[in-house]
Amino acid sequence: MFKYFKGLSIFILMYAQMLSATELYDKSLDELFSMETQLKADIGSRSGSRDFLDSKVPIKVITNKEIENSGLKKVTELLRYFIAGFNAPSPAIKDGSDHISVGTIRGLNPDQVLVLVDSKRLHTSALINVNDTVGRGSTGVDLNTIPVASIEHIEILSDGAAAQYGSDAIAGVINIILKAGGHESVVSSKIGSNYEGGGTIIQADMFHSIALDYDGFINITTNILEQSKTNQARDGSSSPLGQPEATDFSLALNTFIPQENDISMYSHALFNYRDSQNNAFFRDATSDRNNILLYPNGFLANINLKMIDLSFVVGARGRFNNDVAWDASQTLGYNVINYYVSNSLNDSLGITSPTSFDSGGLEVVQATTNLDIKRTFSTFNLAGGLEFRYEGFGINAGEKASYELGTNSNNAGAQGFPGFQPENEVDVNRKSIAIYAQLDKQIGKLSFDVATRLENYSDFGFTNDYKLSLAYRVYEKLLLRSSASTGFRAPSLAQSYYSSFSTTDVGGTLSQTATLKTSHPLAIILGAEDLKPEKSLHFTSGFVYKHTSDTTLSADYFYTKIDDRIMLSGDIDAAVDPTAFAQYGITTARFFTNAVNTQTQGIDLSVAHVRSLENNADLKFRASYSYSKTKILSFNSSHIPGLNDSIAERERLENIQPKDYLKLLINYELEPINIALNIMRVGEFNDVFNDKVQTFSPQWTTDLDIAYKITKKIKIALGGINIFNTYPDKWNSTNTISYSRYSPLGFNGGFYYVRGSYEF
């Protein structure tokens, strides 16, 4: 850790000394007019927007101009591009995880990051990651359901915030702000392909803004993306490895309608439809999972995921006697996933087996009602509110042929993805109600926030959390800041109620490989208990130094301790309790458990500089570095066989994600040309195969986008992601796949594109 910290610290200090100390009075009139005001951020406080560099907690902002200049069209790609420490791998041959990308902050899980849209809670995906991927055992928010063209900016709070926002905000909060009024309508398109292995992407979007009276607006955004498969498999492999083939359509609507009585109505809606297909592993002709009468040359099953995602917010805001501001809103979110398998078979049905199957699916629903009130007094600000939330989770069984055990072999169910069985079906829900408050006060050079939240869940009861944030202005240029908080994450309904079975007939005995609900009798025998909330303790301390009006340095240390962290146990075989396993016809079992206590600590460093050059060009530079290390403090479930001594489970928590990230962002603009350059290094990580650990080397990539304005309304650009076509290390073992599915930058090599836009 410290060798990277020391190196970057020296670099930052040397760079700062090289910068000119020119103050505002030395700038020309043109330079003053071209200066950008400090960015405001809503996140991190309920008292209203504030300069993000004056925040008492670490906040990063990705601006609309930065988003446009990057040329990127997926939210996970944007966050990976701009935020050091954000990790969103692209696994392959991992069932649903191939099709839904989730991200992490500071090496924690996807479900430990809260996502907001216009400061309103966004629902999670129905997918629960049960395969060997980053985020195994968790449900996360599918950020790529939001069209990038609809986004004004993105705020990232890198601090525990459960006392302010509730469950999931252990690692931080991502707040995606949609475009308001004042934006030009624009249509754009992008086409590109990987240097090798296929993977053509064709994308088009349109943003249209309609102005209303009193600065109101109606904004409509549409986006469609067509993506073909890639194949980066090892030579001779019959199982393609890469991104799926996909059709993705999304729609965003954002409205703001002021009324004459000082009450404003607002709403936003998001819709996404995804039809995505990737392959399972190849079954050769001699495999005991094949029927040579149906597939004499073997077969490659395809797993098709079809998804509908919908969210809707409606609300009103106003003021009482110009003293008290209020905001009332209702949010509804829904996500449904269905799995279909083609070019496959249920071998146990013999020659009568279908070759295509409906394997069932998953769904979630979330409804949140909020009433927020805030008031500014002469010496302090006070904000608070009430929240009621309803959550539901369901599993829908597949067609009978997708899971049934016939009489012709010992392999039941659709090869590639066996269907959910009637025994797996659930339709469960829970409710929660919360009251929260925040006090913001300044005393001379010292300012502080105090926040608390009391919440009651219908399935596990009360939780109460607190947060204290402090900032001290040493002098005009230097701000010291620190925060301490408690937090929690409620176990998802999927973690409590998800189950699935894969059925076989061994020697005439029916058996199942099972993921069990914690309430299943066998799971209870093996030590399962009702899940409890994860509890966290968070501390952050750092500073912001404004060297000049154009140059800023920041550094923050963070520490997060999480007790009762939920994870999916390893596979437990029948040798542990042959009688109990035989009673339920199960050969191996696993389930969710509050398994471990962990600590995560590290640093975030950043330096940013903006300079206007003599030829009216603008140069922006940002260097950022993030280091985080997670350590298991203890196992709570030592009585569960094979958990605390599992190499794979320990590595999955401590080492499968890079500990450090370095990012250099440079943007040069001289009308009509704009050049955006991103140089990134991700650190080493580990993966496990056959209980042997392999360390994968750090990887460097370079992204470049060169845009040219033909006219004021027409722009074209050429660019590339990973322009030097670098790849992560390959497995050095007998693993049949080429690359680790944990590779943070994927394994598709260079991607090159052309894009264009037209304002109207």
Side-chain angles (χ1 to χ4, degrees), residues 64 123 256 689:
N64 178 256
H123 61 281
F256 181 69
F689 181 69

Side-chain angles (χ1 to χ4, degrees), residues 329-384:
S329 64
Q330 177 64 54
T331 301
L332 177 65
Y334 177 71
N335 180 265
V336 59
I337 293 169
N338 283 295
Y339 293 98
Y340 302 89
V341 181
S342 60
N343 196 47
S344 182
L345 81 160
N346 181 340
D347 190 31
S348 73
L349 300 180
I351 194 64
T352 64
S353 171
T355 57
S356 298
F357 305 86
D358 177 350
S359 291
L362 310 165
E363 59 183 330
V364 296
V365 62
Q366 177 181 287
T368 307
T369 305
N370 282 97
L371 174 62
D372 295 302
I373 297 175
K374 60 184 178 183
R375 180 174 179 177
T376 300
F377 294 87
S378 58
T379 59
F380 64 92
N381 300 320
L382 183 63

Side-chain angles (χ1 to χ4, degrees), residues 138 164 186 206 234 244 375 385 416 471 554 576 627 650 694 702:
S138 67
Q164 297 163 293
V186 60
M206 182 190 71
R234 188 169 272 166
R375 180 174 179 177
S554 67
V576 171
Y627 176 93
R650 182 174 288 275
Q694 177 175 329
T702 302

Side-chain angles (χ1 to χ4, degrees), residues 271-285:
F271 172 82
N272 179 263
Y273 170 76
R274 188 173 304 160
D275 186 345
S276 184
Q277 184 184 94
N278 213 355
N279 55 273
F281 285 104
F282 180 77
R283 273 76 165 169
D284 63 34

Side-chain angles (χ1 to χ4, degrees), residues 134-186:
V134 168
R136 181 177 185 263
S138 67
T139 55
V141 172
D142 185 355
L143 293 163
N144 292 333
T145 60
I146 304 169
V148 168
S150 70
I151 297 174
E152 165 63 33
H153 66 272
I154 302 175
E155 305 167 355
I156 300 94
L157 169 65
S158 301
D159 194 45
Q164 297 163 293
Y165 299 103
S167 179
D168 305 348
I170 287 180
V173 183
I174 297 171
N175 190 17
I176 297 172
I177 305 298
L178 302 178
K179 288 179 180 175
H183 287 273
E184 295 291 334
S185 297
V186 60

